[in-house]
Structures are given as C-alpha cells and as structure tokens.
Amino acid sequence: MKSNFRTVIEPFVIKSVEPIQMTNRNERKQILKENHYNLFKVPAKDVLIDLLTDSGTGAMSSAQWAGMMLGDESYAGSNSFQKFESTIQEIFGFKHVIPTHQGRAAERILFSVMCNNQSVVPNNTHFDTTRANIEFQGSEALDLVIDEGKDPNSLFPFKGNMDIQKLERAIQKHGKEYIPLCMITVTNNSGGGQPVSMENIRAVKTVLKQYDIPLYFDAARFAENAFFIKMREDGYAHKTVKEIVHEMMSYGDGCTMSAKKDGMANIGGFLCTNDDQLAQMEKDLLILTEGFPTYGGLAGRDLEAISVGLQEVLDENYLAYRIAETQYLGEHLTGIGYPIVQPPGGHAIYVDAKALLPHIPPLQYPGQALSAALYLEGGIRTVEIGSVMFGKVDESTGEEYPANMELVRLALPRRTHTQSHIDYVIEVMKELFNEKDKLTGYKIVKQPKYLRHFTAEFESI
Ligand SMILES: *Cc1c(COP(=O)(O)O)cnc(C)c1O
C-alpha cells in the first residue's frame, strides 16, 4: 500500500494469532457442493480469507482486551457504563447515551418512539435494517442520495451526499408534520461506503432547521467518513479527525450507532439524543427488551471494549492504513480489468459482476457465480449483493424480477489481514479474470419466503 513514496504499513504488530485451516481446490469443490453453493452455509473454518462483512469481525487491540478485565458487571450504575457514557459524550457531543446490543436495536427504539404509520423518514440511503425498522412502524423510508451516488463510474469525491433539492421537494410533498426526523448515513454503506461532505451535512441541516425537523446520524462509520473529509474537503486538512467528528455531530440532534463497525468491537451499539423527553421514552422502551439503561443488553466488559475502541478509531495512523488498504485492493482490481464501484469507499470493494460476466443473465446470478468461483479458486468468502439478495418473486405468477445491480462485495474486517493476505486475494482474482468467460450461472432450487440469500440452495447451470 503506497502513499507518496513509502508503503503505508499496518500500524500495529500481531500479539495473538488464530491459525487459518488451509484447504485445497478439491476440498473446496466438495465443500461448495455439500453446502449447495451458498457461502452463508459454509463453515467459517473452511474459509481462508473471510471478506463476508466488516461487522463485528475486526481484531481488538491489547488495550481493548485489557479493558475487558475491568468490566464492571453491576446491574445498575456500573463503572463501565460511566466510562462508556462519558467517552461517547466527549466524542459525539450528545447529551443522552443509551447502550444497545447492536445498531438495529437502537434503530428499533428510535423509530418506535418517533414514528407512526404516517411518517416519512429521508436518508441518503437507508441501510437494510434501518429501512426494515422504519417500515415495521408502517412508515416510509426515502432514499435521497445524489445521482452521482448511483453511478458506479462517477469519481465524485462525496458520492454519499444527500440531494438537497430532493430533500426540499420531499418535505413539501409530504408535509413537515409527517417527517419526524431525517437521517444521514456516514459513510453511506448501501451506496458503496461512500462519504458525505461537511458542506452537504451543513446544507441538510439548514433545510431541516427551517422546518424544525431533527437530524440523526447513522454513525456506524463516522470515523472513516471524517477521515475522507480531512483528505478531500477544502478547509479540513489541518483539523484532527476528532475535531471533524465533533463538527459533524454538532449539526445533529442524535445518532444511532453499530459499535461492530467503527466501535472496533465484536458486539454493541448505542442511541444518542439531545432531547430529554425522547430519552426518557427511549429508556423506558429499552428496559422492556434490551435491559437496564446502564447496560442495554451488553456486558460491562463489552462497554469497556467499545469505550477503548471509539478512542482508537480516531487514530489517524489507523485510519490512513484502513483507507489505504481498501484503496490498494480497489486499484489492483481495477488494474486487472475488474469493473468496480469507483472510487473505493471506506470498508469494502464492490465488483460489478453484471459488467464482468455479460454472458450470464441477471436471473442466472452473475454475482453468485463470481462469489462461488472466488471461494472455489482461493477459499475467499465474499457476498453477492444483487438479484439473489434483492431480486423479487411475484407470488401470484412466480415470475422473478432482477435487482438494479449485480455486485459482489469484498468487505475488509478491521486490523485483521496483512498485506500478503490482500496480495493473495489480488492474485486469485487475476487468475480468475483470465478464466471468467468460462464461468456459468446458477439456478435456485430451494428458497425460503424472506431473506432468501441466507439459506437458498443453488445448482450450477
Ligand atoms: C451495520 C449497520 C447497521 C446495523 O447495525 P447492526 O449492529 O448490524 O445491528 C445500521 N446502519 C449501518 C450503516 C450499518 O452499516
């Protein structure tokens, strides 16, 4: 990973290791067959490089592990909660901090309290659990990302930005009384991990202020977003990431957070708000399903790991390495000829399988074909984000409709792989590129009614 003249080195040494159980192509051929070509069914021990997700799969630091020993497991008012609360108040600047077991629990509580069956909630792009939790309340989830954000080839530096005109039109169309809050997702996960600029956040806030609509951040990758602002936006090069995070959050009224991402932890999340009355209602709801407001479904040691992780994620050497790693993979795949969502985002590279494999029609799942081939050839696990995940089946006719895009995501767990692991992925993908015309599609032979990608069974065509 090069920047200017020198390699961007991993800014850590390895203190504890977990062996990879090696497999060969023949073994993987058998494993794929046994698991009906669905990589969600493949046991993790049979994966060499697991790029399925960056959620909760990162390595914790020695300081986080040491923090775990300090975990205070008191039911009420534990020390670990006080540290968690003050760390988040200091970094994010919000008044009330409510711990939850994951990001989606924070979402469920937030929307239960703020939305009803007539509400409309705009976002740049809702993450799937965010959309599902809004729709579960009978509300409507609007995606208002700028047009550049939908064009895989656009090199616009802030493809996660919200379209301000679309936001104003949505408010006028639906009426401000039906929009209890607006969200911004930093970075925009469902849009390829693309960042949102400070200028755009400010512009969104200016519009919302006129109508008295609160702004909440979906903050899962807040530090990666702040680092992109530092690198790409005028006037921020000399600010610290912590200062940038502070400014971003100062425009918000609260946030939801999955600590499995930029919390650098394996589990956890939180919900923040500046509103005393909402905070009370949220805590009442929290007690019902998550737990007492000083632990919210987490152990005291988890709260410690997150408190330390939130400090570590602001380390600019870490962020420089993180972004360089993603960029390194993206640039090499582009060099080989892979069409990818440009420019590389924060946490993952998305390969455009429809453009790569034009001989496989969308309903023979080109993304699935590429994903299965990456496992067969290299033991690399990725995830299809295309018609397997988002294709729709008309229940009355049985007819199937493809998704808009056929992508394969290579997500990079935090601090988990070395450069040689990434070089190996690049080598496997280079070999595969030369054989790509021989790949064939798949058909689904068994599927459940909902979220079929997790359990569907495939056969090669
Ligand atoms: C992961 C994620 C969530 C949901 O968080 P969980 O911890 O998985 O429940 C919400 N929003 C974004 C942007 C995410 O990436």
Side-chain angles (χ1 to χ4, degrees):
M1 296 166 251
K2 300 269 181 194
S3 129
N4 299 331
F5 306 106
R6 289 196 175 156
T7 301
V8 178
I9 60 171
E10 287 85 357
F12 49 80
V13 291
I14 295 164
K15 193 156 189 161
S16 173
V17 298
E18 183 179 293
I20 295 174
Q21 184 175 305
M22 302 308 262
T23 51
N24 62 38
R25 191 178 188 278
N26 273 339
E27 288 163 342
R28 291 192 295 266
K29 194 171 176 181
Q30 190 57 30
I31 292 164
L32 264 180
K33 198 169 159 211
E34 279 164 13
N35 292 288
H36 306 280
Y37 303 93
N38 187 333
L39 295 172
F40 282 103
K41 292 182 189 261
V42 172
K45 70 170 177 45
D46 295 325
V47 176
L48 299 186
I49 311 274
D50 203 345
L51 306 182
L52 185 68
T53 176
D54 67 323
S55 179
T57 51
M60 291 215 296
S61 66
S62 52
Q64 282 178 294
W65 281 109
M68 302 257 318
M69 286 305 292
L70 301 173
D72 173 358
E73 307 300 344
S74 307
Y75 193 93
S78 81
N79 258 334
S80 300
F81 175 71
Q82 274 160 15
K83 187 156 146 200
F84 179 84
E85 183 185 41
S86 62
T87 302
I88 293 165
Q89 284 170 336
E90 202 222 31
I91 294 172
F92 290 77
F94 297 121
K95 188 169 171 195
H96 301 282
V97 177
I98 299 169
T100 60
H101 81 277
Q102 285 194 216
R104 65 196 69 186
E107 291 167 355
R108 188 187 61 82
I109 291 169
L110 177 68
F111 303 133
S112 300
V113 165
M114 293 192 85
C115 298
N116 61 35
N117 61 6
Q118 294 185 307
S119 307
V120 177
V121 182
N123 201 331
N124 42 2
T125 312
H126 287 281
F127 181 65
D128 53 9
T129 62
T130 320
R131 169 175 288 277
N133 273 295
I134 288 170
E135 291 175 351
F136 187 66
Q137 299 298 325
S139 312
E140 190 184 342
L142 286 184
D143 289 340
L144 303 179
V145 74
I146 54 170
D147 290 339
E148 290 89 334
K150 294 182 215 163
D151 172 5
N153 297 315
S154 162
L155 289 172
F156 189 71
F158 290 103
K159 288 170 78 173
N161 282 358
M162 189 178 288
D163 187 321
I164 301 296
Q165 281 184 344
K166 279 189 201 153
L167 175 64
E168 286 197 298
R169 258 182 269 138
I171 297 171
Q172 274 148 23
K173 179 176 161 207
H174 296 281
K176 65 167 190 174
E177 60 280 21
Y178 294 102
I179 304 182
L181 76 160
C182 173
M183 297 191 80
I184 299 181
T185 305
V186 288
T187 59
N188 191 23
N189 183 0
S190 303
Q194 301 291 335
V196 181
S197 71
M198 194 73 86
E199 186 186 18
N200 187 251
I201 294 170
R202 233 181 272 123
V204 169
K205 182 64 185 178
T206 305
V207 171
L208 297 179
K209 215 169 173 180
Q210 288 169 39
Y211 299 97
D212 224 9
I213 298 169
L215 173 62
Y216 277 71
F217 286 95
D218 179 340
R221 297 180 183 79
F222 73 98
E224 290 174 13
N225 199 93
F227 192 70
F228 277 118
I229 289 177
K230 183 180 169 98
M231 288 194 307
R232 296 182 182 173
E233 190 163 349
D234 284 347
Y236 288 93
H238 300 294
K239 297 219 156 115
T240 64
V241 165
K242 195 169 175 183
E243 286 166 340
I244 296 171
V245 168
H246 234 272
E247 184 184 342
M248 278 164 60
M249 295 298 152
S250 73
Y251 302 117
D253 299 276
C255 72
T256 57
M257 174 72 187
S258 167
K260 301 174 74 172
K261 322 292 171 46
D262 277 354
M264 308 278 257
N266 302 120
I267 196 71
F270 52 87
L271 171 60
C272 291
T273 181
N274 285 332
D275 185 313
D276 297 342
Q277 209 184 336
L278 280 178
Q280 192 53 55
M281 290 159 72
E282 287 162 358
K283 285 180 196 171
D284 291 347
L285 208 49
L286 186 81
I287 292 176
L288 213 56
T289 58
E290 292 279 303
F292 195 70
T294 61
Y295 72 87
L298 294 169
R301 53 182 170 270
D302 299 325
L303 298 171
E304 293 281 343
I306 296 166
S307 303
V308 177
L310 288 170
Q311 303 281 359
E312 290 180 349
V313 80
L314 298 174
D315 175 358
E316 297 181 15
N317 290 317
Y318 159 74
L319 286 165
Y321 140 78
R322 170 81 174 150
I323 301 304
E325 184 187 30
T326 312
Q327 197 177 336
Y328 177 83
L329 177 59
E331 282 174 0
H332 278 80
L333 295 187
T334 307
I336 293 168
Y338 277 94
I340 67 166
V341 175
Q342 296 284 4
H347 68 292
I349 295 298
Y350 296 71
V351 177
D352 182 347
K354 202 195 287 190
L356 180 74
L357 307 171
H359 61 288
I360 303 179
L363 290 177
Q364 291 180 15
Y365 316 119
Q368 181 65 24
L370 176 61
S371 201
L374 282 169
Y375 178 75
L376 175 66
E377 300 303 335
I380 301 160
R381 177 154 65 176
T382 54
V383 64
E384 189 261 16
I385 303 185
S387 292
V388 175
M389 194 180 273
F390 292 123
K392 294 236 171 357
V393 180
D394 184 326
E395 281 186 28
S396 52
T397 63
E399 191 166 349
E400 191 176 344
Y401 299 92
N404 292 334
M405 294 205 270
E406 305 295 335
L407 302 176
V408 170
R409 185 181 75 182
L410 293 84
L412 296 165
R414 292 167 182 75
R415 305 187 290 205
T416 303
H417 295 113
T418 63
Q419 184 170 347
S420 76
H421 289 126
I422 305 298
D423 284 335
Y424 168 84
V425 172
I426 293 165
E427 284 163 14
V428 170
M429 290 187 74
K430 190 167 181 189
E431 287 165 27
L432 189 62
F433 190 81
N434 298 326
E435 305 287 316
K436 68 184 168 61
D437 299 335
K438 293 187 200 145
L439 294 184
T440 56
Y442 281 83
K443 65 176 180 211
I444 296 180
V445 290
K446 197 170 158 202
Q447 60 181 307
K449 205 164 163 192
Y450 301 108
L451 297 170
R452 66 177 181 179
H453 54 284
F454 290 125
T455 55
E457 297 183 356
F458 299 89
E459 266 173 23
S460 164
I461 293 175

